[in-house]
Amino acid sequence: MLAANFLLLAALLFCIGVFGVIARRNAVMVLMSIELVLSSVNLNLIAFALMNDDVDGQVFALFVIAIAAAEVGVGLAMVLLIYRNRQSISLDELSELKG
Amino acid sequence: MNSVILAADGVNVAQNVGFGIIAAVMIFAALAVVTTKNVVHAALWLAMVLAGMAAQYILAAAEFVAVSQVMVYIGAVMVLFLFGIMLTRAQIGSETGLNNKSWAVGIPVAVVLFGLLAYVVLDAVEDSTIAEVELTGANNEATLEIADRVLSPYLAPFFGMTFVLLAAAIGAIVLARKD
């Protein structure tokens, strides 16, 4: 198995996720794209664990999974709050911080 | 550039074939996540990407992470997403206006980023192969080793993570509750 396989797949998924973050306007869709990005990084960590024959990468991947779960929880709570206040989760309507 | 081709000379063929099939499914599903017009379908395609990811972890001999991935992502995070969709948008079905007006900017950004990452990856690992993975059913040395690492050298980060999870849970409740 070539070492580059996993890394290239992870890079491709990462770029698809970045495209989703840029292209989407719905906040929930942006969160989904962020999940794509985070899990592609996990694939990288697993591949590194395999390449180095060491489980440190797997431990890191577990930490990333936990942090990603926390991030989704808080992110969706914020989206709910925004929806409740504005009846919309379109990200380009959120411009209060613009000077 | 041989690395791009999933060539199978002297490396484990079955593993390569499995990798290729799962990778193709994952890429298709990931593209569907970022292009579909239906929010619920996007969530379900995302579940497919995450399931493929778990399968890749098993191919990479990381069973414990694969099981955690299935439980946390496909179990918990997908339910959260579906609830989020349900609570923020009553409309189920395809809808317009999911994309930004300038969504096309994302295409060159993603393509250039992928070119850069692929160049760096191929430059760094070249044609090196991963040692053949031996999947032994009975002994779960990797899982035992993960337990050892988490509870001794990574104990402090582990405790930190528990506090992060606690703070996130409380924060989510505080943010989302009605009063």
Side-chain angles (χ1 to χ4, degrees), chain B residues 43-97:
Chain B
L44 298 177
W45 282 117
L46 181 66
M48 190 155 216
V49 179
L50 297 172
M53 197 72 84
Q56 298 284 18
Y57 294 164
I58 290 176
L59 269 186
E63 308 95 354
F64 185 72
V65 185
V67 173
S68 309
Q69 167 94 5
V70 170
M71 288 199 303
V72 175
Y73 272 108
I74 304 175
V77 170
M78 287 320 300
V79 172
L80 265 183
F81 270 125
L82 291 174
F83 267 101
I85 292 167
M86 190 181 77
L87 292 173
T88 55
R89 186 70 59 124
Q91 177 188 356
I92 302 289
S94 65
E95 50 186 294
T96 53

Side-chain angles (χ1 to χ4, degrees), chain A residues 21-99:
Chain A
V21 171
I22 295 173
R24 290 303 200 181
R25 184 161 61 176
N26 185 321
V28 177
M29 303 291 277
V30 171
L31 277 177
M32 282 185 207
S33 306
I34 292 175
E35 283 308 302
L36 267 184
V37 170
L38 283 171
S39 47
S40 77
V41 172
N42 262 347
L43 187 57
N44 261 345
L45 288 172
I46 297 291
F48 292 144
L50 194 60
M51 285 157 72
N52 293 328
D53 201 14
D54 190 277
V55 297
D56 271 351
Q58 299 188 21
V59 176
F60 278 29
L62 286 171
F63 280 113
V64 174
I65 287 177
I67 298 298
E71 173 257 327
V72 173
V74 175
L76 280 174
M78 287 167 66
V79 169
L80 276 186
L81 195 64
I82 293 169
Y83 180 74
R84 201 174 292 148
N85 287 336
R86 313 178 56 104
Q87 313 306 323
S88 156
I89 50 171
S90 173
L91 287 178
D92 49 9
E93 289 174 20
L94 301 175
S95 53
E96 277 85 356
L97 285 181
K98 200 186 275 179

Side-chain angles (χ1 to χ4, degrees), chain B residues 13 22 34 46 57 68 71 79 118 162 168 171 174 176 179:
Chain B
V13 180
I22 301 168
V34 295
L46 181 66
Y57 294 164
S68 309
M71 288 199 303
V79 172
T162 59
V174 169
D179 52 358

